[in-house]
Amino acid sequence: MTRSLLKTHPYRPQMAVVRDIIQETPSIRTFRLVWKDPSVASQFSFQPGQVGQISVFGVGESTFVINSPPTRREYLQFSVMRTGEVTRALHQLNVGDTVGVRAPLGNSFPYTTMKGRDILFIGGGIGMAPLRTLLLTMLDNRADFGDITVIYGARSPEDLCYRYEFDEWRAAGVHLVLTVDREFPGWSERVGFVPTILAEEAPNPFNRVAITCGPPIMIKFVLAGLKELGYEDDQIYTTLERRMKCGIGLCGRCNIGSTYVCVDGPVFSGKALRAMPPEL
């Protein structure tokens, strides 16, 4: 779907077919979709961090980040945690089923401004989804960026998403630090909460940008940890998850004060976060 079509018909979804389904964790599935209309497929474009509304007809629609990178256009990928009516219906889909998609929505990571700098990703659980699209975009343009470190954690090894890509990331030069909340049989990586591992790794803030996403409590302590390490607000980006309904700034379901996450976000700088009301 192009921007012009979204502007003219903001509530009209385009049809897409489920090409692949990946069981990431016991409660998270990844769906790879392809457009039914070849003209939509040829015109569609998006940027890392933008989201889309997926419709399950007769049930409803929900918002998910597009976690495939714009540099790989063979399909559009969304990862869905089973939490409510729409996500339960999505988890019941099979390969070949049709869904509606309204995308792209929202803003994106300003990754062109990050060229030439070292990059630090800090993710927790399904919060790795929005980071993945930016990470893969950078890996597909590897010479434009400096050192890339990924600190990624979950409650247990089986709660880590995209495990099948970890070798690819490391082969591309990513310093990947994996952690789980407590010891598990056979687990040979780090053990501890993500903010604790961040403090232990202590990546130098000089010429580095930090991007984080995960559970709100993790983000809260990660932001505090980054400040303790000397990161300035303009070196930090995160994505906010609010319950979006319309996705175009009309319904008021996702606002924080006068800020609408669906149109002003979901990507926010540390400086923008600091200007938001304390309800965040």
Side-chain angles (χ1 to χ4, degrees), residues 211-231:
I211 309 106
T212 184
C213 188
I217 188 67
M218 187 210 83
I219 293 178
K220 176 181 178 180
F221 284 101
V222 163
L223 293 178
L226 289 171
K227 296 299 288 184
E228 289 182 5
L229 290 172
Y231 287 76

Side-chain angles (χ1 to χ4, degrees), residues 111-174:
Y111 70 96
T112 58
T113 67
M114 302 175 187
K115 290 181 178 179
R117 307 181 71 176
D118 295 335
I119 308 295
L120 170 63
F121 291 98
I122 310 157
I126 197 171
M128 196 62 215
L131 305 186
R132 177 184 183 272
T133 179
L134 182 58
L135 171 63
L136 295 186
T137 300
M138 290 178 168
L139 294 186
D140 289 342
N141 297 276
R142 189 66 187 89
D144 290 340
F145 302 93
D147 294 340
I148 298 179
T149 295
V150 176
I151 299 175
Y152 179 36
R155 287 177 298 178
S156 71
E158 70 174 3
D159 291 311
L160 291 165
C161 296
Y162 318 119
R163 296 189 295 273
Y164 45 89
E165 292 184 342
F166 291 166
D167 288 344
E168 174 193 341
W169 299 357
R170 282 174 164 146
V174 173

Side-chain angles (χ1 to χ4, degrees), residues 36-54:
K36 271 193 169 182
D37 185 340
S39 67
V40 173
S42 64
Q43 296 178 53
F44 183 81
S45 64
F46 68 100
Q47 293 297 317
Q50 289 191 289
V51 301
Q53 293 266 6
I54 302 181

Side-chain angles (χ1 to χ4, degrees), residues 52-280:
Q53 293 266 6
I54 302 181
S55 304
V56 180
F57 301 113
V59 180
E61 66 175 3
S62 288
T63 308
F64 307 96
V65 69
I66 304 168
N67 68 64
S68 50
T71 46
R72 305 180 190 186
R73 294 174 53 85
E74 60 266 36
Y75 53 78
L76 210 57
Q77 178 166 308
F78 300 87
S79 296
V80 177
M81 175 179 281
R82 189 179 61 247
T83 58
E85 186 176 9
V86 174
T87 55
R88 279 197 299 272
L90 279 165
H91 273 233
Q92 293 171 358
L93 293 177
N94 297 304
V95 171
D97 285 344
T98 296
V99 295
V101 179
R102 292 193 292 127
L105 300 169
N107 68 355
S108 59
F109 292 108
Y111 70 96
T112 58
T113 67
M114 302 175 187
K115 290 181 178 179
R117 307 181 71 176
D118 295 335
I119 308 295
L120 170 63
F121 291 98
I122 310 157
I126 197 171
M128 196 62 215
L131 305 186
R132 177 184 183 272
T133 179
L134 182 58
L135 171 63
L136 295 186
T137 300
M138 290 178 168
L139 294 186
D140 289 342
N141 297 276
R142 189 66 187 89
D144 290 340
F145 302 93
D147 294 340
I148 298 179
T149 295
V150 176
I151 299 175
Y152 179 36
R155 287 177 298 178
S156 71
E158 70 174 3
D159 291 311
L160 291 165
C161 296
Y162 318 119
R163 296 189 295 273
Y164 45 89
E165 292 184 342
F166 291 166
D167 288 344
E168 174 193 341
W169 299 357
R170 282 174 164 146
V174 173
H175 174 46
L176 177 61
V177 181
L178 300 172
T179 185
V180 295
D181 291 355
R182 61 183 188 279
E183 298 279 359
F184 280 85
W187 178 252
S188 59
E189 307 268 356
R190 305 284 280 274
V191 175
F193 295 123
V194 167
T196 301
I197 302 302
L198 170 64
E200 293 174 358
E201 287 287 315
N204 191 318
F206 176 74
N207 195 38
R208 191 184 304 272
V209 177
I211 309 106
T212 184
C213 188
I217 188 67
M218 187 210 83
I219 293 178
K220 176 181 178 180
F221 284 101
V222 163
L223 293 178
L226 289 171
K227 296 299 288 184
E228 289 182 5
L229 290 172
Y231 287 76
E232 302 293 336
D233 286 343
D234 60 4
Q235 291 178 269
I236 301 170
Y237 292 89
T238 188
T239 65
L240 296 182
E241 181 181 333
R242 307 288 281 195
R243 188 174 293 277
M244 302 178 195
K245 188 68 175 178
C246 69
I248 53 176
L250 295 178
C251 72
R253 291 284 296 273
C254 67
N255 66 299
I256 303 170
S258 60
T259 299
Y260 284 74
V261 173
C262 65
V263 292
D264 300 315
V267 176
F268 293 92
S269 67
K271 183 178 180 180
L273 287 177
R274 194 169 294 280
M276 289 184 182
E279 65 182 87
L280 181 61

